[in-house]
Every structure is written in structure tokens, then in C-alpha cells.
Amino acid sequence: MALTKTHYPRTSGGRSYTDTFYHPIVQPNHQQFGRGVPVYGGLWGNIFYVDDGGAGGTTGGRTPEEAVTTLDAAHNLAAASNGDLILALPGHNETLAAAGLVCDLIGITIIGLGRGVNRPTLSFNATTSDIDITAGAVTLCNFLMTGDVDAIANAIEVTGADCALLNIDWRDVTGNALQLA
């Protein structure tokens, strides 16, 4: 598979650094997205970027430099049945409250970029914090999940058909328990 290399300057926590991404050269019906993560289907619809230090607030998102600050903001920009892709940049940190993210658009793919501890982290800060996947054909891939409270109930609830959770790692940061539905 052919890859193209792109550098994105970024500032986080008062430090400046450059992220390097290796993107596939997209070809219909044969796609891989970094580190062997399969991405199925034809060409993408819209691509939206997420970064907690993003300059796009809740309305940008079309480039890494104008990334929106939350997955929910990117989800609100996406369209159902369009093959839209949401990319969370390496090091993105997001805290989910009750009903933190509701994926109700058919066919969206949400991928966390990065490797190991540099992947995006989603923190659940209440016992009712969760991700609800209610639409079909939704993919959530390559995220670190942590809990900030004990006894998180139904952290991820999937009721949509043909959904996929790929390379999701759960890290116990405070001796917390959680339940997946």
C-alpha cells in the first residue's frame, strides 16, 4: 500500500511540536488506514479532524489545523450514509459526561490516530458517562479509554447493527469498574 507523509505543527500545553502522519493514498475497494487497521468501502465522504487544542471550535474540522475540539462537534458536522470519517489526532484528550457521545449517523467511522499511549484518550467522569452507538455500520477504532469514577455503567452501549469496536484499550487509572452493554 502506498503512503504519503504529512507534517502538522501543533501546540499543546504550552509546548510546540510537529506530528507526522502517514496517510494511505486512497484507492477504491482496497484501503488500509495505518498500522493494519482495516477501513472498508469505497472513497470517503467528508473527513473531519478532532483535537482538544484545535482552533476550529465546533464549526471547523476540515483540516488538522482547524480541528474541532470534541468528537461530538465532529459528529454534528458529519452526514448519515455519506461514508464520513472522523479522525482524532494523536494526544487528543476528551472527558465524556453523561450521554457524552451519541453516534446516531449511519456509516460513520471514528478513528483515533497514534500509537500506544499517544492515541486519543476518552475519559469517563461520571457513573453514567457513556458512548451510545444507535446507528448501524458505525466503526470506533484505536482509542484509549479511562474511568475517573468507580462503577461506570454501560460505558459503551451498542444498539445499531453491523458496528465495530476495533483496538479499544481500557486503562484502569483509579481502580475503577465498568460495564459494557
Side-chain angles (χ1 to χ4, degrees):
M1 172 181 58
L3 296 176
T4 183
K5 182 171 158 181
T6 309
H7 300 284
Y8 297 105
R10 157 180 150 114
T11 302
S12 179
R15 294 179 299 170
S16 296
Y17 56 95
T18 300
D19 290 324
T20 301
F21 298 111
Y22 292 89
H23 300 283
I25 297 173
V26 180
Q27 299 172 356
N29 302 319
H30 180 66
Q31 301 173 33
Q32 289 279 331
F33 198 90
R35 306 245 358 116
V37 176
V39 181
Y40 303 103
L43 296 174
W44 294 112
N46 299 307
I47 299 176
F48 300 100
Y49 294 88
V50 180
D51 183 12
D52 57 311
T58 58
T59 59
R62 298 308 294 255
T63 67
E65 296 81 14
E66 292 293 322
V68 293
T69 55
T70 65
L71 291 173
D72 189 54
H75 183 271
N76 291 338
L77 296 170
S81 301
N82 192 43
D84 285 356
L85 176 64
I86 297 172
L87 298 175
L89 297 179
H92 170 70
N93 287 298
E94 186 167 338
T95 300
L96 300 174
L101 178 63
V102 178
C103 298
D104 57 0
L105 298 175
I106 296 171
I108 64 167
T109 299
I110 304 170
I111 297 177
L113 300 177
R115 182 176 175 199
V117 297
N118 198 33
R119 288 180 288 171
T121 300
L122 301 179
S123 300
F124 297 78
N125 75 344
T127 58
T128 56
S129 296
D130 67 350
I131 298 172
D132 294 321
I133 301 176
T134 60
V138 171
T139 300
L140 183 65
C141 179
N142 202 40
F143 283 88
L144 293 175
M145 307 284 189
T146 64
D148 296 336
V149 296
D150 285 334
I152 299 169
N154 300 327
I156 298 179
E157 185 173 358
V158 179
T159 57
D162 302 320
C163 295
L165 301 175
L166 306 170
N167 199 29
I168 305 294
D169 285 347
W170 297 92
R171 302 282 168 99
D172 185 356
V173 295
T174 58
N176 299 318
L178 61 87
Q179 174 184 347
L180 302 176

